[in-house]
Structures are given as C-alpha cells and as structure tokens.
Amino acid sequence: MSIVVKVGLASCGVAAGAAEVYVTLLKYQQGGADIELKKTACIGMCFEEPIVELSGGSLGKISLGKVDSANISNWVDAYRKGEMPETNVILADEHPACRNTLINEQTRIVLRNCGVIDPTSIADYEASGGYTALRKALSMKPEDIVEEVKSSGLRGRGGAGFSTGLKWSFAARAQGKKKYVVCNADEGDPGAFMDRSTLEGDPHNVIEGMIIGAYAMGADEGYIYCRAEYPMAIHHLKVAIDAAEKKGFLGNNILGSEFSFTLHIKEGAGAFVCGEETALMQSIEGKRGMPTIRPPYPADSGLWGCPTNINNVETWANITWIINNGADAFRKIGTDKSPGTKVFALAGKIAGSGLIEVPMGIEVRDIIYKVGGGMKTDKPFKAVQMGGPSGGCIPASLLDTIVDYDSINATGAIMGSGGMVVMDEGTCMVDVARFFLNFTQNESCGKCTFCRIGTRRMLEILTRITEGKGEMEDIQRLDDLASNIIKGSLCGLGQTAPNPVLTTLRYFRDEYIAHITDKRCPAGACTSLLRYEVIPEKCIGCTACARKCPVSCISGAVKQVHQIDQEQCIKCGACYSACKFNAIRKG
Amino acid sequence: MEKDFSQLDEILEMYRGKPGILIPLLQDVQNLLGYLPKDAMRYIAQKMNIPAADIFGVATFYSMFKLKPQGKHIIRICKGTACHVSDADGIKEALIDALQLPEGEDTTQDMHFTLMEVACLGCCSLAPVIMIDDTTYGKLVPESIPPILERYAFEEKQ
C-alpha cells in the first residue's frame, strides 16, 4: 500500500527547513520507497514547523512536527509498519496527540483548505469543492448574490468591520460602463500574517470569491494588490490565475455565460499607508500612495474614476463558503452582530504561535490558553496587542472579553486585520507604545499635518520617557496630541495611530509613572533605565563577568564578591549573560 | 555630458501608452541597474513625457526604491512586533558589529552587504528573523549572526 506523505511548504515551513525535508523525501522515493509525495501550505501551527503529514496506513492520518530531515525516512518506515512514532506526533485523527485540541477548538471556513490541498494544483482545489460556488453564482441573479452576502451579515475583515453586502450593493448600484473589484492584500501590520498564509495556502478560494463578487457587482476587471515582501503568495497567485484562465473560470464568457472578467496582480512597493483603500487605488494608478478625501467613496469613483469595490483577502475568502452553504448557515456561526469566524495570527510570548481561525464570540482567554496553548515561558501573561499599530493592548483583567467587533472596540483596542501579539511581564508597555509610534511616524505619508508632525512629537515624548527623562506633564501632552491627531487626520492611519498610546495609558498608567518619577522600568526592558547588580550571596568570585565587561567596570578578586561600578556601566548586559550562577540582578 | 541610458529603451517601450505603469516600470529599471540613479529618472521623464517630479515623487515614496547603489547581498532585518519583543535590536547590533558598518551607513565598503530594516516579514513564529536575499533565518540570538554571514563570505571565495 502506498503511503501518502505531505510536506508543509509555506514561507514559515521553508524558513524552518521544510525544503530540506522535502528533498530528503524525494530522494527516498527515488530510491524505491513506495510513497506518494505531496506538497501543501500552512496548517497554521508555525511553532511546530517543519510539519509532515502521513496517511494511508493502518494508524490513519497523523502529523509529525519539528521534523528533522535526518530521520524522516525512519518515521515513514515505522508508520508503514503501523508503529506510532514515539516523539513528534502532533496531530492524529484516530489517536490522542498533543496538539489535537488546538485544531479541534477552531472553526475553519477561510482556512479550510490551507495545509490540506496543494495550493498550486487547481485539480486539488476542485476536488475539495472548488469552483462549485462560481457555477452556482452564475445561475443566480447578480442582485440575489448581493442580497445573500448582505443577509449573511459578513463584515469587512480588514479591520473596520463594515457590512460587506452593503458595500457590494453601493458598487452594484453605481452607474458606469466600467467597474473594478480589488483585493487588498497589502498586509502591513507588523505581527500579522493572515493574508500571506491564506494566499499561499488557498489562492483559488480568494480568486473564486472575487469572480463571484465581480459578477454580482457588474465588474469586468480586478486587481489583487499584494505586498512584494510576500514572493510565495505572489507566485501561487500567478500559478492559480493562469490555471483558472485555462479552465475558463477567468477570461471572456466565463463557463459559457455572458460574463467576462480579467484579473491582474499588482505588487506593492512598500508603503504601509497603501493598505488604506484610497491610497491603494492611487498606488495601482502608479502614483504616490496618498489617501484622498471621501466622499466620493470608491463605490462611486474609485480606480481611474470608475466605481470600484475593495475588500480584504479574508473577506473575499469567505464568499465561496457563503454561496455554497447559504447565509443562514453562516449566521449560525459566531455572534448576532458579528457572524462567522475570524482568522488571527498569534505571535509573541505564546506557546502555539501561528495561524488560527475561531468562531466570533470566543473569549480572548480561550484563544490564548486553549487554542494558543498558553504562555511560552513561566513569566505570567501581561497583555495581548490586537490590531497592530492601529490597535491597542487588552490587559489580563479584560481577558474575558469576547471576540466581536463591538466588544473589542469597547476595550480601546480594535479587531484589526487579525494580528495578536501576546506579551508577558518582561514586556514594557511604554516601550511597546513607543515601538508602534515609531512605526506610524515612519509610515505617515505626510499629507496631514497632525499625523505627520503629531506622531513625531508623540514619539519624542515616549522616547524620553523610556530614557528616564520624562516629566509628569508629558502624560497630559500625550493625551492632547492623541485627540488632535485623531481629529485632524484624513485616513485610518492617522485616526488610529494614537490608539497604542491611549490604551497603554488607560491600563498601564502605573508603568508610565514608574518611568517618569522613579526612573525605573518595571519590566526591565528599557535599557537606559536598567541597573545590573551583583547579588553578594550568590557570587562565588569566578571572575567570568569581569573578564567579559567591555568597559572593565567590574572589580573584585578571585573568590571574592564582585562589584559593578554603576557610573561606568554601559548596561550592555554582557555580565548578565556571562554569569553561570544567576548572581547578577537585572532591573 | 549625460550618461547614456539607451539600455532602458526596451523596458520603456514595453510600458509606453499603458495606464498606471510608473511603479512596475521603475521596478524593472531598478532590477536592471540595481538602483535608480537620478540621471536615469531624468532620462525616463524625457522619454516617457512624465514630469520628473512625479517620477522622483514615486521613487522617494516607496521603500522598495533605492536611490543609492546596493550591496550584493541584501540583509533585511525584521522590525515587526513579535521580533521587537524578542530582541530584534540585539540582532541588529550584532549585524552592525559583524559587518563593521560605520555610523549612518547601510552598505559595507566592499559593496558586499546592504542592511535594511523592514516592517514585518510575516514569520512571527520564528522571531527574531532576518532575511538574506530570499532566505529566511529565524529564532536568532546575537551569536548566530557571524556564522550565517560567513556562509556568504565563503561562497564568494570559492
């Protein structure tokens, strides 16, 4: 019997060494082993990469994590004999395995094919139900499709949460000979990789969603605007578009109908603000990506002045499921006001970092402790950052907040596109706020004065606080600047830029005060406020620290307790790493 | 006398008369020349009848466009949130040390490496991450940097 061996070859897998594993398996196969070797993308458990799935044996389907190319063939042999490998089994359909719960807690609509099919094979996609939604849609009236999407309650997954069906109805109603649909894949939030994984793992699902949308709104041309930093996503999209054209899903008279649609890929050139829809359209037109005043909204006057609909990758990826299963089935998942699921990219100090899809309405606590497998180290949970530079931090006291647009907004954070960075007690919240302000002031396009100069002033204030040079009036200054930037900015970038500061001020004001009045960083993260001290009881006088110190400011004889001269110390931390007896205190 | 940029003509002809072409056109030119020299932008402006200010405006807006010659290998250091909380700064210092970059410079004197920061490489579970050309290196500590760089130095000598 032939054993099917599937290797996860998405960006994160390749970075972890999956390509070597694949080559080893290929040689193993060429050497006469009876295996069927297949490629897939990302199952979402990036922390277990490289991942190999085995099936076709008596044990049923099992997945191995942290696979080493040196012993992969032994594991395949064991599996063939019906022996469960002793280590590294992370998932098993018919047996207990350490990560089974991580998958079972999820509801997969957008990611249903990710890590399952070969994303470069249109046959694989069709075999799992691909392009049936398009056939069904073409038999429907365009206005009925818009109505179906409207009654599904799907809300834009790019962050703002506007009703997708309503947005479609504006573009469908707009007058114009030429209309466009656009997919926003300019995923720029640091700490977010949902769109990358979706496009790498199941490009056809997004393309099919766009074809259906174009038919419903009367568009005949579309663009996918994708970050150039995602070469594999772009490659998979190109392969998928070619295959769909050959099969007659794209092009003239799609599947014998009157409807024609062509799809292009536009590579972003590196500007965060281009995630904003009006800036994105400027960029597609080949100009500087600077936002324009709305109205007119893109639905009336978008690309080259034509009615245009823009949706995020994840929004498009929901469409085929809704058409196939109906709006009612979609509404059964999630909450009343936010139906369906949400994809999150879990990162930071969490054990199970990777990509997850959960039903709306789940508690943030459950995402972190059940789906995400809890904290990475012994340090306790401090906050989770949601929504990237536009979002905010949710503290431990609010962990029972449920995931839907309105509940998350009430905390001061935003749903955002889906980045979730988990922080522990070793993370300084003032430093996190400074990190995001540094990002937004770099990425501000410069059009609005408050965004351009205001974010810079906020960054300067935050920097001096983290250096111990802040004053109490700075907190009021931050508050004032924040409210003026929100009022005085044209687009989402500026209007949300102060959020990381506002939420940390709201939930972690003590930390700001500790930096300002005590000149102390409670998390021990701000270098200029750090102090390294020798703990006399633990120091055995081995001289290791003194030998490592680059400025020779540690004194003490052999077998005597050493001392650090605080005046000369440059806080490089070399002594801290050199000490084998934990005799140096950092804080 | 102005430099001769007639080698760009083939690219320019490919795009002539099409809408929204400036960004991909400049990308192609940069791929050919390695960066966007000022004179090349003037040449494109003249040939394509696009105001030079528009071209310069686009070239300075997007981080992908480089106005200075770049090193042979591009090192991208991820400054995403996950990397930031996992000591990306320490990795950056290790890179600057190993490359012996003078203050304010991003390219080594022998034009072998250029170091740049990027917002997020999307490999957050492997933080902290750097990317050299198309290869990603994850779960780094400052000590991992010298042996990684040596691979690239070693290849050259072979």
Side-chain angles (χ1 to χ4, degrees):
Chain A
M1 186 174 52
S2 191
I3 305 291
V4 183
V5 183
K6 216 188 258 183
V7 185
L9 286 165
S11 291
C12 41
V14 171
E20 286 91 38
V21 172
Y22 187 81
V23 171
T24 311
L25 283 163
L26 202 62
K27 283 186 190 149
Y28 176 59
Q29 187 187 38
Q30 285 159 354
D34 182 20
I35 58 167
E36 190 186 333
L37 191 54
K38 298 190 82 169
K39 294 177 187 178
T40 188
C42 177
I43 183 88
M45 288 187 285
C46 308
F47 63 107
E48 293 284 14
E49 295 284 0
I51 296 174
V52 171
E53 182 195 287
L54 303 171
S55 59
S58 59
L59 290 168
K61 193 165 80 183
I62 67 166
S63 294
L64 301 167
K66 299 204 174 106
V67 168
D68 186 347
S69 51
N71 44 18
I72 179 66
S73 48
N74 298 339
W75 282 338
V76 177
D77 285 340
Y79 175 81
R80 192 194 304 277
K81 289 181 210 147
E83 294 163 12
M84 184 70 94
E86 274 174 30
T87 54
N88 301 63
V89 177
I90 52 168
L91 296 174
D93 274 7
E94 296 153 28
H95 304 273
C98 59
R99 308 291 180 205
N100 275 355
T101 44
L102 265 61
I103 291 286
N104 295 342
E105 293 284 337
Q106 301 189 35
T107 305
R108 293 191 158 216
I109 291 178
V110 171
L111 303 178
R112 62 184 184 275
N113 291 326
C114 288
V116 180
I117 63 167
D118 177 352
T120 57
S121 156
I122 194 167
D124 257 28
Y125 179 67
E126 287 193 86
S128 64
Y131 290 105
T132 51
L134 176 62
R135 287 197 174 83
K136 184 174 174 187
L138 289 177
S139 71
M140 293 163 75
K141 280 194 207 139
E143 52 269 33
D144 292 343
I145 298 175
V146 175
E147 209 43 52
E148 191 74 16
V149 174
K150 214 191 268 180
S151 58
S152 75
L154 175 66
R155 294 170 71 168
R157 297 293 193 244
F162 190 76
S163 158
T164 304
L166 213 53
K167 202 172 182 179
W168 282 27
S169 71
F170 298 150
R173 224 172 31 210
Q175 299 297 316
K177 268 189 192 157
K178 176 104 189 153
K179 289 184 193 174
Y180 292 96
V181 290
V182 176
C183 173
N184 184 349
D186 190 43
E187 181 171 66
D189 285 9
F193 49 95
M194 299 77 53
D195 296 350
R196 173 179 68 72
S197 290
T198 309
L199 293 172
E200 283 179 3
D202 197 10
H204 282 287
N205 188 31
V206 176
I207 293 169
E208 189 182 355
M210 289 186 76
I211 305 172
I212 295 169
Y215 172 71
M217 289 176 266
D220 66 353
E221 205 172 344
Y223 285 94
I224 300 176
Y225 187 92
C226 186
R227 274 184 91 190
E229 284 90 341
Y230 290 171
M232 189 184 283
I234 291 172
H235 173 66
H236 285 186
L237 277 170
K238 280 184 181 154
V239 171
I241 289 175
D242 278 352
E245 279 171 355
K246 286 204 181 83
K247 282 257 180 177
F249 299 129
L250 277 171
N252 289 331
N253 302 97
I254 291 171
L255 295 173
S257 69
E258 295 286 292
F259 167 62
S260 302
F261 179 62
T262 46
L263 190 54
H264 316 277
I265 301 170
K266 273 271 171 180
E267 286 182 36
F272 174 70
V273 69
C274 290
E276 202 277 341
E277 58 181 20
T278 56
L280 185 149
M281 292 187 304
Q282 295 282 316
S283 180
I284 291 181
E285 291 180 19
K287 302 177 195 154
R288 285 166 74 96
M290 290 165 96
T292 55
I293 293 177
R294 295 179 297 181
Y297 284 91
D300 295 315
S301 173
L303 265 183
W304 290 290
C306 302
T308 303
N309 170 271
I310 301 189
N311 283 125
N312 164 268
V313 171
E314 193 184 331
T315 313
W316 287 118
N318 271 293
I319 299 301
T320 53
W321 195 95
I322 292 172
I323 296 299
N324 270 331
N325 299 279
D328 290 340
F330 191 76
R331 291 207 81 105
K332 285 204 183 95
I333 306 164
T335 63
D336 191 36
K337 283 190 174 162
S338 305
T341 60
K342 180 78 194 83
V343 179
F344 288 106
L346 284 178
K349 304 291 174 70
I350 190 157
S353 55
L355 207 66
I356 57 157
E357 183 172 359
V358 288
M360 297 275 194
I362 188 174
E363 278 185 19
V364 176
R365 183 191 310 277
D366 286 344
I367 293 187
I368 289 162
Y369 289 99
K370 284 188 185 162
V371 189
M375 300 299 288
K376 197 189 230 168
T377 61
D378 297 338
K379 285 191 187 162
F381 172 89
K382 185 173 195 176
V384 55
Q385 211 284 343
M386 281 183 75
S390 317
C393 292
I394 298 178
S397 58
L398 293 177
L399 268 180
D400 52 0
T401 306
I402 61 162
V403 170
D404 71 21
Y405 290 94
D406 313 290
S407 312
I408 300 287
N409 283 349
T411 67
I414 60 163
M415 181 81 96
S417 54
M420 257 195 186
V421 181
V422 177
M423 294 159 186
D424 63 20
E425 291 291 344
T427 313
C428 169
M429 303 316 278
V430 186
D431 178 59
V432 167
R434 188 190 61 84
F435 166 76
F436 282 117
L437 256 294
N438 182 40
F439 179 83
T440 32
Q441 75 89 24
N442 258 327
E443 293 294 341
S444 170
C445 78
K447 186 166 180 166
C448 307
T449 316
F450 275 98
C451 178
R452 182 181 70 241
I453 302 174
T455 54
R456 180 149 206 132
R457 291 289 98 87
M458 284 182 91
L459 174 65
E460 286 164 1
I461 295 174
L462 290 163
T463 306
R464 69 173 181 249
I465 294 178
T466 56
E467 286 172 349
K469 295 174 192 153
E471 40 191 75
M472 279 311 280
E473 291 76 19
D474 280 342
I475 294 186
Q476 188 56 44
R477 286 186 194 116
L478 284 173
D479 256 333
D480 291 346
L481 277 166
S483 64
N484 286 324
I485 293 169
I486 292 168
K487 273 184 256 168
S489 303
L490 199 56
C491 84
L493 190 151
Q495 287 162 6
T496 59
N499 281 352
V501 180
L502 291 176
T503 55
T504 47
L505 269 176
R506 187 157 149 196
Y507 300 119
F508 300 97
R509 189 173 281 258
D510 291 355
E511 275 191 47
Y512 281 83
I513 294 172
H515 281 79
I516 294 170
T517 55
D518 308 345
K519 310 292 175 207
R520 189 173 62 84
C521 172
C526 294
T527 327
S528 359
L529 297 180
L530 272 186
R531 269 175 79 91
Y532 289 93
E533 281 167 326
V534 177
I535 307 169
E537 303 82 61
K538 289 191 175 171
C539 178
I540 63 149
C542 72
T543 74
C545 58
R547 278 181 279 129
K548 279 277 174 190
C549 178
V551 291
S552 307
C553 75
I554 304 179
S555 56
V558 184
K559 293 189 181 170
Q560 299 287 313
V561 172
H562 283 49
Q563 254 196 336
I564 301 172
D565 182 349
Q566 297 296 337
E567 292 284 298
Q568 287 183 50
C569 173
I570 55 162
K571 289 140 187 167
C572 66
C575 53
Y576 185 77
S577 343
C579 182
K580 293 194 174 66
F581 304 94
N582 295 322
I584 290 176
R585 186 193 297 126
K586 176 170 134 180
Chain B
M1 205 181 106
E2 275 201 14
K3 255 179 96 179
D4 177 26
F5 285 107
S6 53
Q7 53 168 328
L8 302 180
D9 290 353
E10 202 180 320
I11 295 175
L12 302 186
E13 286 317 309
M14 219 164 65
Y15 286 104
R16 190 175 294 285
K18 293 182 188 163
I21 46 105
L22 190 50
I23 294 171
L25 184 156
L26 292 180
Q27 275 166 354
D28 283 356
V29 171
Q30 178 164 291
N31 287 345
L32 188 72
L33 303 178
Y35 72 111
L36 294 176
K38 244 184 201 164
D39 288 341
M41 288 192 271
R42 282 207 191 92
Y43 181 82
I44 299 166
Q46 221 169 34
K47 278 267 174 179
M48 299 296 277
N49 205 17
I50 302 171
D54 283 4
I55 296 182
F56 199 66
V58 166
T60 51
F61 188 82
Y62 295 99
S63 61
M64 177 186 280
F65 295 120
K66 304 296 167 199
L67 306 182
K68 284 194 298 188
Q70 301 291 294
K72 185 164 179 217
H73 298 290
I74 307 288
I75 307 173
R76 293 181 172 82
I77 171 157
C78 180
K79 295 288 281 179
T81 325
C83 290
H84 178 74
V85 299
S86 310
D87 194 30
D89 284 339
I91 305 299
K92 188 183 164 190
E93 267 173 42
L95 278 165
I96 291 175
D97 273 0
L99 297 173
Q100 297 175 332
L101 282 178
E103 184 117 12
E105 289 294 323
D106 57 1
T107 304
T108 52
Q109 274 190 331
D110 59 3
M111 299 300 288
H112 202 61
F113 292 105
T114 293
L115 180 65
M116 62 170 81
E117 291 182 3
V118 291
C120 186
L121 290 167
C123 294
C124 308
S125 57
L126 300 170
V129 175
I130 63 167
M131 195 168 169
I132 303 185
D133 303 330
D134 284 332
T135 312
T136 313
Y137 299 91
K139 294 187 181 164
L140 299 171
V141 287
E143 291 74 40
S144 352
I145 297 301
I148 292 176
L149 291 182
E150 231 156 75
R151 286 182 219 175
Y152 292 84
F154 183 66
E155 273 167 25
E156 299 310 308
K157 285 179 196 142
Q158 278 198 325

